[in-house]
Amino acid sequence: MLRVAVVGGGPSGSCAAEVLAKAGIQTWLFERKLDNAKPCGGAIPLCMVSEFDLPESIIDRKVRNMKMISPSNREVDIILDDEAEYIGMCRREVMDAFLRDRAASLGTHLVNGLVTKIDTGANRQGPYTLTYSDYAAGEATGETKTLEVDLIVGADGANSRVAKAMDAGDYNVAIAFQERIKLPPEEMKYYESLAEMYVGTDVSPDFYAWVFPKYDHVAVGTGTMQKNQSLIKGLQQGIRERASNRLLKGEVIKVEAHPIPEHPRPRRVVGRMALVGDAAGYVTKSSGEGIYFAAKSGRMCAEEIVASSQGGQRIPTEADLKVYIKKWDKKYGPTYKVLEILQNIFYSNDAAREAFVEMCDDKDVQRLTFDSYLYKRVVAMNPWQQLKLTFLTLAAVLRGQALAPSSYSPVASAVRSPEEVEDMETVSAIKGGIRVRKPEATSPSASATPGGTDPKDSREPVLAGKP
């Protein structure tokens, strides 16, 4: 019987293990931190709920209103009118635990362990010997053990040990930084079914920042590409300041940071080792979405293993595993390319960001965007829609040049008067989390970095409050 080790217990690894275990294949799933809370916006599309049979108990909030906020604080509401449609907001520690436990209930051997070494055999063809620290006993150091398997699925994230063992090649990574902020009831009520996305050089030079609602707090974060990752804490300060009037009396209960891939690795299958999820590089540009594609890649890889192994009766070849890559690239390659083009166009400067938010005010654009996101399908446009979208893009970009702000300011509170906001801010700002010195300039034209700060500035932001 085929023996498979799945390294990494996030959505990609758990979904792979579930498929393998259902087929009766001997499966081991390795995860070091069973209470792991990956710093992630935690948004999942509607189709994932049904496709992966997710219970409502793991969904904290059902978002039906997405507010886009431009550099000049122009706010555009994208509203889902159908009550059956929503974007699910999840805490990763809750969702990941559910998926791992389900895989274990189907026969997966769930190992609370850290893989420290992989012997890949002759020419990386296996059999494969994994050396790992087993933490099942609760000891801090763990017990060193080994396991021999015929095949490995690498689902262990951007810093994948499996990728290193198979010489999958490097890729650039972005950095995501997030603070979980607990809010007073009135502010939290405002975010009950609403998520916000902010764009501007102050919050990210090449991506966006977010305020996403969870069970009893909001996740406030930002991301940027590898070349700007030294600025990440200053960018986080930018989103805190832009959203400050809606985060009154907030208290940071958790600070998180994590690398995310910018593009697929050069090699995703070597020998009888295959990569899925972040380890493979399956995070989209523009939206930064990775959860659905992680789960989907894990499932597709495992389905190919089951089919090519004849239900676990033979060991698949490298060529067999590469069929999964071909199917993946055919199905999702165009989506990744289109989103990369959109990011390069609309996240390049504040004028383009103003244009992007303006375009989002069009109902046809909203419907096309939501259909493709919620259901992961390419929506065909009629000739009129195509022509309209072209004109909207050109007009928005031209007007954006005039609308781009010379400085940034906080959005207005949605639930309190300006006087009340001022009184509250004099008493208490956000407690805990990052702490940075105020920059001298706030004009986006003053520097290529947020707030006009010099990238060589030695005043490194520091973390404060609860880790």
Side-chain angles (χ1 to χ4, degrees):
M1 176 59 69
L2 182 66
R3 303 165 298 171
V4 180
V6 181
V7 182
S12 58
S14 296
C15 290
E18 178 182 342
V19 171
L20 296 169
K22 275 184 179 178
I25 292 172
Q26 293 186 74
T27 307
W28 288 263
L29 177 62
F30 291 85
E31 175 56 51
R32 168 62 185 98
K33 298 180 180 179
L34 296 180
D35 60 349
N36 186 41
K38 181 180 176 181
C40 168
I44 61 172
L46 182 61
C47 67
M48 185 173 179
V49 177
S50 56
E51 187 176 343
F52 290 86
D53 195 22
L54 300 178
E56 288 202 358
S57 60
I58 72 164
I59 299 173
D60 283 350
R61 303 278 181 175
K62 294 182 177 180
V63 166
R64 296 187 174 90
N65 181 7
M66 179 70 74
K67 191 180 289 288
M68 305 288 298
I69 302 175
S70 77
S72 65
N73 287 343
R74 172 174 181 162
E75 299 186 26
V76 169
D77 287 299
I78 305 176
I79 299 173
L80 289 171
D81 297 319
D82 188 341
E83 284 294 314
E85 292 184 328
Y86 62 87
I87 299 171
M89 291 293 169
C90 303
R91 285 167 290 164
R92 285 293 301 271
E93 62 269 29
V94 175
M95 182 178 69
D96 291 10
F98 168 80
L99 292 172
R100 279 195 301 269
D101 291 345
R102 185 166 68 181
S105 70
L106 293 167
T108 298
H109 303 289
L110 180 56
V111 181
N112 181 196
L114 175 66
V115 174
T116 56
K117 181 181 176 183
I118 302 173
D119 184 344
T120 61
N123 299 317
R124 296 193 173 91
Q125 298 299 309
Y128 305 97
T129 301
L130 283 70
T131 301
Y132 64 97
S133 296
D134 191 328
Y135 294 92
E139 298 295 331
T141 55
E143 180 183 355
T144 300
K145 295 183 179 180
T146 60
L147 174 70
E148 184 177 282
V149 295
D150 306 302
L151 190 150
I152 298 176
V153 176
D156 47 341
N159 296 320
S160 171
R161 189 174 294 274
V162 177
K164 290 181 176 66
M166 61 190 274
D167 189 25
D170 293 328
Y171 53 19
N172 293 330
V173 296
I175 186 75
F177 193 103
Q178 178 173 276
E179 294 173 299
R180 300 191 189 193
I181 301 179
K182 195 173 182 66
L183 298 177
E186 190 165 355
E187 275 69 26
M188 197 64 220
K189 179 71 174 176
Y190 168 67
Y191 287 109
E192 183 175 8
S193 61
L194 166 72
E196 292 180 330
M197 292 174 59
Y198 291 75
V199 290
T201 305
D202 60 328
V203 299
S204 179
D206 42 30
F207 201 54
Y208 65 87
W210 60 87
V211 180
F212 286 175
K214 302 303 174 71
Y215 172 67
D216 61 352
H217 64 273
V218 289
V220 180
T222 185
T224 189
M225 300 308 170
Q226 188 171 33
K227 63 182 180 180
N228 296 313
Q229 67 181 21
S230 64
L231 308 173
I232 192 65
K233 293 174 187 174
L235 298 172
Q236 180 67 12
Q237 181 69 13
I239 179 57
R240 283 179 56 153
E241 292 177 356
R242 283 278 296 284
S244 60
N245 292 337
R246 296 175 187 177
L247 304 175
L248 293 167
K249 287 194 174 180
E251 181 178 3
V252 176
I253 57 177
K254 193 175 184 63
V255 178
E256 308 163 299
H258 196 79
I260 54 176
E262 292 186 30
H263 54 78
R265 288 191 190 272
R267 293 172 292 283
R268 287 165 281 164
V269 169
V270 173
R272 294 172 174 85
M273 298 176 283
L275 300 177
V276 295
D278 280 14
Y282 296 149
V283 175
T284 63
K285 295 280 191 176
S286 186
S287 67
E289 184 185 2
I291 300 175
Y292 173 82
F293 293 110
K296 188 68 173 180
S297 64
R299 176 176 284 186
M300 287 179 66
C301 179
E303 288 173 343
E304 204 58 47
I305 292 171
V306 172
S308 60
S309 69
Q310 298 172 7
Q313 299 306 307
R314 60 179 290 269
I315 300 175
T317 65
E318 181 173 323
D320 291 331
L321 294 180
K322 284 184 175 179
V323 173
Y324 135 68
I325 299 295
K326 292 177 182 176
K327 289 181 178 179
W328 176 268
D329 288 345
K330 181 178 180 180
K331 187 175 182 68
Y332 296 114
T335 298
Y336 279 74
K337 192 61 182 177
V338 168
L339 290 174
E340 181 178 5
I341 292 171
L342 289 177
Q343 179 166 328
N344 291 338
I345 294 173
F346 289 114
Y347 291 170
S348 58
N349 56 62
D350 277 346
R353 295 180 187 105
E354 287 288 340
F356 171 62
V357 174
E358 182 182 348
M359 282 183 58
C360 290
D361 205 12
D362 181 81
K363 295 300 180 184
D364 280 340
V365 172
Q366 292 183 14
R367 190 67 257 173
L368 290 168
T369 301
F370 263 118
D371 278 352
S372 61
Y373 175 80
L374 292 176
Y375 303 107
K376 291 295 171 282
R377 65 190 182 201
V378 177
V379 181
M381 291 187 292
N382 60 45
W384 162 243
Q385 287 176 315
Q386 291 175 335
L387 187 62
K388 178 183 178 183
L389 187 59
T390 301
F391 279 119
L392 277 174
T393 303
L394 292 173
V397 169
L398 290 173
R399 283 197 295 277
Q401 298 292 338
L403 294 173
S406 58
S407 62
Y408 307 103
S409 60
V411 293
S413 171
V415 296
R416 300 182 189 275
S417 68
E419 294 76 19
E420 191 178 4
V421 169
E422 186 176 354
D423 289 343
M424 292 179 70
E425 287 185 329
T426 58
V427 174
S428 175
I430 297 173
K431 296 180 181 178
I434 62 164
R435 175 165 47 85
V436 297
R437 294 184 182 180
K438 291 279 188 179
E440 294 180 0
T442 56
S443 170
S445 60
S447 170
T449 62
T453 55
D454 187 337
K456 296 179 181 178
D457 194 336
S458 61
R459 296 174 298 176
E460 175 69 16
V462 295
L463 288 176
K466 300 179 182 180

